[in-house]
Amino acid sequence: KTIDFKYNDIAFAGENVVMYDEAMCRMYSFTGKERFNYTFEKKINSLIPIKDDMFIIAGDTAIEEIELK
């Protein structure tokens, strides 16, 4: 699959590939299916995989948990 956006960091969690920059986060399965695509209002400093489908996003002023369904 061709990646059509710029990202600052990449992480692997279970069968997911997670790419993100300061505001946008995209997650794909290893088969190329997009599982998550979102632009956050706050800056993303770090994205930490907790489980295959659960992640912590740390920003300048907040920490949020996201879970894929």
Side-chain angles (χ1 to χ4, degrees):
K1 182 158 180 95
T2 302
I3 305 301
D4 62 349
F5 75 102
K6 293 182 180 182
Y7 57 90
N8 294 342
D9 210 345
I10 189 167
F12 298 93
E15 296 184 10
N16 296 309
V17 179
V18 184
M19 294 164 279
Y20 63 96
D21 64 12
E22 292 184 353
M24 179 183 273
C25 177
R26 289 189 185 179
M27 297 180 198
Y28 295 92
S29 69
F30 284 154
T31 61
K33 179 182 176 186
E34 186 175 79
R35 302 202 58 215
F36 184 79
N37 182 348
Y38 190 77
T39 301
F40 292 88
E41 293 179 18
K42 299 176 183 173
K43 180 180 175 183
I44 300 172
N45 291 332
S46 182
L47 187 140
I48 305 155
I50 302 297
K51 299 180 193 173
D52 288 354
D53 294 335
M54 187 176 290
F55 303 85
I56 300 292
I57 296 178
D60 286 340
T61 60
I63 296 174
E64 298 181 46
E65 181 180 293
I66 58 171
E67 184 173 2
L68 303 178
K69 294 185 180 190

